[in-house]
């Protein structure tokens, strides 16, 4: 039996709304012994490309080119991308655009702030569309503090729909990396891709240390401050 590998499939850098640089994410993942990581900045693959270039020929971690795409119906992570996916499409069109370039579409945090009929504004999760559309996997473990109930709902949805289950930290700070991750047979990005396609992945989660929770609270305060400033200046 192949040795079990660990992958964090949901990571952010300062190329979108994370604090660390792509290089810092790679170094932290290496310290933790993660075999594969996916940089999934919001609506850009630049952070992933930068991380892959930084890794170079080192053995681990392997970097998957990813993107967390802002569809009209909620956020969708595309993995194994060759180019960026345009935001603002429907969830169905976004999944199709990911598949058209040979990528895999992941319904991340589907029950966090999902779209509702008649709603105007940003939706973060695709909700029940995670079971209705051709998603390749559902994120059932997201280590963002306070997501326990959302994760439990995602677990049930994945179980009932028979979709592969994955874990991703959704890390915006270094100390969150790997707190939720995906376990698969093998140690390479190709092995992970095959495990996802075969539905043979498992989601896992680890507890936060108190200091990490304080750091996440600081990131949240900084994120809200920047958002209010952007709204005030019309950016």
């Amino acid at each position: 039996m192949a040795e079990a590998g660990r992958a964090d499939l949901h990571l952010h850098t300062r190329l979108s709304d994370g604090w660390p640089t792509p290089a810092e994410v790679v170094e932290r993942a290496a310290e933790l012994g993660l075999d594969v990581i996916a940089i999934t900045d919001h609506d850009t693959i630049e952070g992933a490309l930068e991380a892959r270039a930084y890794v170079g020929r080192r053995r681990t971690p392997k970097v998957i080119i990813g993107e967390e795409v802002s569809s009209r119906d909620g956020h969708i992570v595309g993995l194994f991308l060759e180019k960026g996916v345009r935001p603002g499409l429907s969830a169905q069109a976004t999944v199709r655009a990911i598949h058209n370039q040979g990528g895999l579409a992941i319904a991340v945090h589907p029950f966090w702030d999902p779209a509702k009929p008649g709603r105007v504004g940003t939706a973060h999760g695709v909700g029940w569309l995670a079971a209705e559309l051709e998603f390749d996997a559902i994120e059932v473990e997201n280590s963002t503090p306070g997501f326990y109930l959302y994760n439990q709902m995602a677990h049930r949805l994945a179980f009932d729909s028979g979709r592969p289950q994955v874990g991703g930290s959704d890390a915006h700070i270094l100390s969150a990396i790997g707190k939720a991750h995906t376990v698969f047979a093998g140690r390479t990005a190709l092995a992970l891709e095959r495990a996802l396609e075969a539905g043979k992945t498992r989601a896992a989660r680890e507890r936060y240390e108190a200091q990490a929770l304080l750091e996440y609270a600081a990131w949240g305060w900084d994120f809200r401050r920047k958002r209010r400033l952007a709204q005030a200046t019309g950016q």
Side-chain angles (χ1 to χ4, degrees):
M1 181 178 292
E3 187 176 359
R6 295 186 303 145
D8 191 338
L9 301 180
H10 193 170
L11 294 164
H12 297 281
T13 76
R14 66 175 56 181
L15 273 293
S16 59
D17 58 349
W19 272 359
T21 66
E24 289 171 337
V25 170
V26 169
E27 293 293 342
R28 177 59 177 167
E31 291 174 8
L32 295 170
L34 291 171
D35 300 289
V36 180
I37 60 173
I39 305 295
T40 58
D41 281 316
H42 295 280
D43 302 323
T44 178
I45 63 170
E46 294 306 312
L49 294 173
E50 190 173 319
R52 175 174 284 184
Y54 179 80
V55 166
R57 295 185 178 181
R58 69 191 296 170
R59 188 171 180 179
T60 55
K62 301 302 182 185
V63 176
I64 294 171
I65 304 301
E67 177 185 2
E68 185 168 4
V69 186
S70 301
S71 84
R72 292 199 305 269
D73 303 305
H75 293 181
I76 297 169
V77 159
L79 301 178
F80 302 100
L81 299 179
E82 296 180 353
K83 59 184 180 180
V85 177
R86 180 164 62 90
L89 303 173
S90 69
Q92 184 175 35
T94 301
V95 170
R96 186 183 305 117
I98 292 169
H99 287 164
N100 283 346
Q101 56 176 294
L104 299 179
I106 313 297
V108 292
H109 47 63
F111 292 107
W112 174 49
D113 197 22
K116 298 179 178 64
R119 173 177 176 171
V120 177
T122 302
H124 296 284
V126 297
W128 298 105
L129 289 175
E132 297 172 13
L133 301 179
E134 294 183 358
F135 282 98
D136 299 287
I138 296 174
E139 182 185 73
V140 300
E141 289 291 349
N142 180 305
S143 59
T144 302
F147 270 33
Y148 176 79
L149 178 59
Y150 306 137
N151 288 338
Q152 292 305 301
M153 294 173 67
H155 267 286
R156 182 58 185 266
L157 178 65
F159 179 80
D160 289 347
S161 64
R163 299 296 172 84
Q165 302 181 20
V166 298
S169 66
D170 201 357
H172 293 76
I173 58 174
L174 286 176
S175 56
I177 293 172
K179 290 301 184 186
H181 56 270
T182 301
V183 181
F184 64 101
R187 305 293 294 273
T188 67
L190 178 59
L192 170 65
E193 185 175 16
R194 288 175 174 170
L196 283 167
E197 292 172 342
K200 296 182 178 179
T201 55
R202 178 171 60 85
R205 182 172 178 165
E206 301 172 6
R207 294 178 64 87
Y208 277 101
E209 302 81 9
Q211 181 59 39
L213 289 174
L214 291 173
E215 186 180 354
Y216 229 135
W219 172 84
W221 179 88
D222 184 58
F223 173 78
R224 289 188 292 273
R225 179 187 62 83
K226 291 177 178 177
R227 184 170 60 181
R228 288 194 298 270
L229 180 61
Q231 291 172 342
T233 57
Q235 297 179 350

